[in-house]
Amino acid sequence: MAVRLLNASGCLDALAAPEVARSLDVFVTKTITPEPRPGNPPVRFAETEHGMLNSIGLQGPGLEPFVSEHLPRLAALELELWASIGGFSAEDFGSSCARLDGEDSVAVVELNLSCPNVEEAPETAAELVAAARAATRKPLYAKLSPAQWDIASSAKAVVEAGADGLSLVNTIRGLALDESLAPRLARAVGGYSGPALKPIALACVHACASAVDVPIVGMGGVTTGLDALELVAVGASAVALGTVLFHDPGAPARIREELTAEATRRGLRDPLGARGRSVAKSEKSLQIAQNGTA
Amino acid sequence: MRQARLTVRGNETVGPYALVRLGRAGLEAGTPGQFFMLEAPGRLLPRPFSLCLAPTGELGFLVDPIGPGTRAIASLEPGETIFVTGPLGRGYDLAVERPLLVGGGIGIAPLPYLSATLDNPPALLGFRSAHHAEAAALVPNAEVVLDPTLVTEALPDDPGDVLACGPEPMLDTLEALVPRAQLAREAPMACGYGACYGCVVERDGGYIRLCLEGPVLSARGGAH
């Protein structure tokens, strides 16, 4: 089995660029909220030294117009479709999942539990997942924030609450200033993505892959096939592309090719053969270290 | 959406600007007012530029080196290559009877190609200095005004079909004066093809993506 490539939610509009969506194995929608949202005022993004900040604010039509207007057009593209949903309470997640449960074109629901640009729900991630789980039989992927000290515990909690998989990671909150020392984004803070996020994503996937036994979509700063292979090596079974799509719409085909070449160079028959390699290795060295001190 | 790695054919100084000419390598020139995303060497994100000139086999872009990305593009040398995507967005509607091209500063960028396509109609250009106004040489048949005179003050009583590009205050004034004007707006863009939602402008009480619905927008009240 090959390593499947997805887009990170909010990093591609399949209706505006169907050829880019078709070059992926799965298209993940921009996060859909129950009610329409205008999004945040511009300036909405800023390039920084090693990445970029965005503050879009979940601009979108809301769930009902999404289902009635967007979903049929997305379904016509005949892609595997994952719906990313967001909300501001457990009730929001439950009602959105219930609404999508009967939509055959939606293969998986990804729960965005971690948008850095909107206010958070008062409930814990596990409570949101439990509400979603009670409302649908569709596979649920929980998308977690890297901004937590012990992401493995969150991973365990959301899996126990019914998540079938994890999407790791969302952007991490950041801020950039202009020459006059004023924030460059209208809302000051935004989600930090791009190459700088990769080591953070690797650490999160690594921690979660050791803690839970569910499929993980790894994402964060993937620019090359080697970046993707590294995420697989720490435990991801699929890889999502985000910021790279902004500067290289042809990235999926290129990364797929590079991924195979990098695996072959390491004597692997296919890239998925690298899965978990670095997790096993670090556990082994941990044992050696423990034995050594015993 | 087409992408290619293009080779720099030339880079000339035009007043404070750089006119960067690239070999086309199969990319179409598109409609005047459409734009391309140009890789900015050493930077993460590409930068949007409307097409300035479309001589045979080449795409020419007028670059104002105001930040790290535009400086990197403005200092490209012949033989270097950059990754280019385009043409993107919606250009000018060319079905006009009495075109008048109106431009301000670096906003004259799409007008040379627009002028060539429309058979050199009259143009009215404004610049902040004589040095900046050297770029007016790229637009045939142009009347030039310099700061403190504004192009909006030099506009004829019956301007005809205005096709404009320039700083926001200029476009806002034109929008009020000429209800049917076509205005090429500007916004920072991360992707240029509707993926990032970074380039929105306010329109009819909501935010629209300028890269998809623009960059040429009709004045409010007009039809596009």
Side-chain angles (χ1 to χ4, degrees), chain B residues 110-164:
Chain B
L111 302 188
Y113 177 39
L114 178 61
S115 178
T117 309
L118 291 176
D119 239 349
N120 304 335
L124 174 59
L125 310 178
F127 294 93
R128 81 176 82 138
S129 75
H131 183 49
H132 290 81
E134 286 176 39
L138 296 169
V139 186
N141 214 354
E143 177 193 343
V144 175
V145 296
L146 292 184
D147 192 60
T149 305
L150 304 174
V151 286
T152 44
E153 296 164 350
L155 214 58
D157 290 338
D158 177 15
D161 299 305
V162 168
L163 300 97

Side-chain angles (χ1 to χ4, degrees), chain A residues 225-227 229-230 233 258-271 273-274 277:
Chain A
L226 182 55
D227 295 335
L229 189 64
E230 289 183 10
E258 291 170 356
L259 183 56
T260 305
E262 293 291 351
T264 307
R265 187 175 304 164
R266 286 162 181 79
L268 299 165
R269 211 176 305 160
D270 80 81
R277 226 171 216 233

Side-chain angles (χ1 to χ4, degrees), chain A residues 10-13 16-17 19-20 30 38-42 44-45 47-48 51-52 56 59 194-195 243 245-250, chain B residues 1 3 37 43-47 68-69 83 85 188-201 206-209 212:
Chain A
C11 296
L12 183 64
D13 178 351
E19 71 277 23
V20 179
K30 190 166 163 55
N40 291 340
R44 286 183 168 189
F45 79 93
E47 186 191 62
T48 66
M52 67 173 282
I56 310 303
Q59 177 175 344
T243 302
L245 292 172
F246 298 163
H247 57 87
D248 182 6
Chain B
M1 187 168 41
Q3 309 146 56
M37 296 300 286
R43 307 300 303 179
L44 178 66
L45 298 172
R47 302 294 193 268
F83 191 67
T85 305
M189 292 177 181
C191 73
Y193 69 97
C196 76
Y197 282 73
C199 67
V200 294
V201 295
Y207 291 122
I208 60 163
R209 287 171 285 180
L212 292 183

Side-chain angles (χ1 to χ4, degrees), chain A residues 279-294:
Chain A
V279 180
K281 260 195 190 155
S282 44
E283 275 172 1
K284 197 174 164 193
S285 45
L286 187 67
Q287 276 172 5
I288 293 167
Q290 283 168 344
N291 292 344
T293 53

Side-chain angles (χ1 to χ4, degrees), chain A residues 31-34 58 85-89 92-93 112 118-121 128:
Chain A
T31 295
I32 308 146
T33 52
L58 303 184
I85 64 161
F88 306 96
S89 66
D92 281 353
F93 280 90
N112 182 356
V118 297
E119 62 270 40
E120 282 185 26
L128 301 177

